Amino acid sequence: MNRCQELEMQPVPPDLMKQMFFNMLRVRRVEEKIVELYPEQEMRCPVHLCIGQEAIATGVCANLTPTDAVFSGHRAHGHYLAMGGDLKAFWAEMYGKATGCCRGKGGSMHLIDLNAGFIGSTPIVASTIPIAVGAAFAAKMQGLNKVVVIFFGEGAAEEGVFHESMNFAVLKQLPVIFVCENNFYSVYTPLAERQPPDRQLSVLAQGYGMPGSLGDGNNLQAVYTLAHEAVQRARQGNGPSFLEFTTYRWREHCGPNYDNHIGYRTEAEYLEWRQRCPVEQTQADLMAQGILTPAALDTVERQIQEELEAAIAFAKTSPFPEPHTLFDHIYAERVA
């Protein structure tokens, strides 16, 4: 069942739609800047770009506050930025500088901003899923009004810990939302070669006893609406939800380039999804409705560029971590 086909799209206030579009555009421009600067060889960490998938991070996180908690995996830039992660600390981390959000020791795949509610990302597929469930368990035991969201790709659903976590979340009725960004490829292997035909992950989730919905991950309003339902459900103490969003990454699995030429997907398939660009679609819709004007778009584009230039200058002029700090912050400080 595709909920987006049946979903009665809830009206989203125009100001919120415009703000979500601006946030989504900011994620796009940040990653395009990575593409531009990466060949300078000053960013020495691997990068996994989410260009083409920005609507999911933006639409889901628009329902959250910094007192909630978000976890992610190796393709985490959009989630960090959508939660309001510090941009200067982000760029400094990309450049491996001591002012980075992981003090320059983590790089692109290890982002964290506790002030924004972005608890962290790690590159091992599915590894943050049980940690997110544990955070939701802790929040429930402490009586906190906290919703926990875990972002992952469809490849993570093929790991055993995913199923253990789903079962435990239902058993304890935890305030956690599993958000699967289904871009159909686990590195270079298509979904059709990894799972039986006609299996739908959102239906699989229903088998565990939690609501499972499938939506168009390139439709910002649809993402926001489905996430809004799930967040409200979690806040009201009604347990976990599973959201599967179909989408597509434009760039290579790891790196700033395109990789359609190596044969695991076709140029025609890429171009088909390119036509469904979430940024361009939303921009056109808002322009048609009179919610967005060319002048407002020019203003926000200029603001994003100025913010980007300041953050990159901060990163490039920041110091590298001192060698003697190599083993700092590996373990939590003992609480007296």
Side-chain angles (χ1 to χ4, degrees):
M1 175 180 68
N2 186 331
R3 283 289 313 279
C4 270
Q5 294 173 349
E6 300 183 355
L7 183 68
E8 183 178 349
M9 205 75 75
Q10 298 298 314
V12 180
D15 286 347
L16 177 56
M17 277 301 300
K18 187 163 66 174
Q19 186 58 55
M20 286 197 295
F21 169 72
F22 289 165
N23 293 343
M24 182 167 63
L25 181 65
R26 182 171 176 260
V27 174
R28 172 68 61 88
R29 296 293 181 253
V30 167
E31 292 218 311
E32 288 176 339
K33 202 66 175 177
I34 294 173
V35 171
E36 177 186 332
L37 298 179
Y38 201 77
E40 293 180 354
Q41 297 293 315
E42 292 185 45
M43 287 178 271
R44 304 302 294 169
C45 60
V47 292
H48 299 74
L49 303 179
C50 70
I51 292 177
Q53 303 186 183
E54 301 92 337
I56 302 172
T58 307
V60 171
C61 293
N63 289 284
L64 304 175
T65 73
T67 59
D68 294 315
V70 168
F71 294 79
S72 181
H74 55 273
R75 205 174 305 281
H77 301 169
H79 310 139
Y80 173 96
L81 295 169
M83 278 300 286
D86 186 286
L87 189 64
K88 287 184 176 179
F90 170 85
W91 276 100
E93 192 60 39
M94 299 293 290
Y95 278 86
K97 299 300 183 69
T99 51
C101 60
C102 267
R103 297 180 171 84
K105 301 174 186 176
S108 163
M109 294 186 286
H110 300 88
L111 303 176
I112 183 171
D113 191 331
L114 298 181
N115 291 328
F118 190 80
I119 310 304
S121 58
T122 62
I124 306 301
V125 173
S127 64
T128 46
I129 295 177
I131 300 172
V133 170
F137 191 28
K140 182 170 183 176
M141 292 182 70
Q142 295 173 70
L144 302 176
N145 182 25
K146 178 188 291 254
V147 174
V148 179
V149 170
I150 170 67
F151 289 97
F152 52 88
E154 86 287 348
E158 294 154 19
E159 299 286 345
V161 74
F162 164 81
H163 300 276
E164 297 169 28
S165 300
M166 296 276 283
N167 179 66
F168 189 79
V170 172
L171 181 67
K172 299 296 182 182
Q173 287 294 284
L174 301 180
V176 60
I177 302 170
F178 300 86
V179 180
C180 176
E181 297 174 309
N182 185 352
N183 64 17
F184 306 105
Y185 290 93
S186 180
V187 189
Y188 302 123
T189 308
L191 188 60
E193 295 183 18
R194 300 172 4 237
Q195 296 199 29
D198 302 324
R199 172 182 288 172
Q200 189 171 303
L201 293 176
S202 52
V203 174
L204 187 67
Q206 293 169 15
Y208 282 101
M210 75 175 73
S213 301
L214 173 66
D216 180 353
N218 284 21
N219 184 319
L220 182 59
Q221 186 176 359
V223 172
Y224 175 85
T225 300
L226 286 175
H228 185 75
E229 287 181 1
V231 169
Q232 294 306 308
R233 185 171 184 276
R235 290 208 195 284
Q236 293 164 4
N238 294 320
S241 300
F242 183 95
L243 304 178
E244 177 186 2
F245 293 112
T246 53
T247 187
Y248 202 77
R249 64 169 162 81
W250 294 6
R251 299 278 174 164
E252 59 191 330
H253 163 68
C254 178
N257 304 308
Y258 293 102
D259 62 358
N260 300 338
H261 62 287
I262 65 176
Y264 74 100
R265 63 184 185 182
T266 66
E267 184 74 6
E269 179 183 278
Y270 160 74
L271 291 173
E272 180 183 343
W273 278 93
R274 178 64 183 79
Q275 292 297 314
R276 297 172 57 186
C277 172
V279 175
E280 294 173 1
Q281 283 189 146
T282 307
Q283 178 178 319
D285 289 344
L286 296 185
M287 288 281 191
Q289 297 173 52
I291 297 173
L292 181 66
T293 64
L297 182 60
D298 289 344
T299 298
V300 77
E301 287 274 22
R302 185 170 61 254
Q303 291 171 342
I304 292 171
Q305 289 305 317
E306 291 173 355
E307 184 188 17
L308 264 172
E309 290 173 8
I312 294 166
F314 171 80
K316 289 193 171 187
T317 56
S318 290
F320 285 106
E322 294 290 342
H324 67 81
T325 66
L326 181 61
F327 296 106
D328 290 350
H329 310 110
I330 293 176
Y331 298 103
E333 298 288 338
R334 180 182 293 275
V335 178

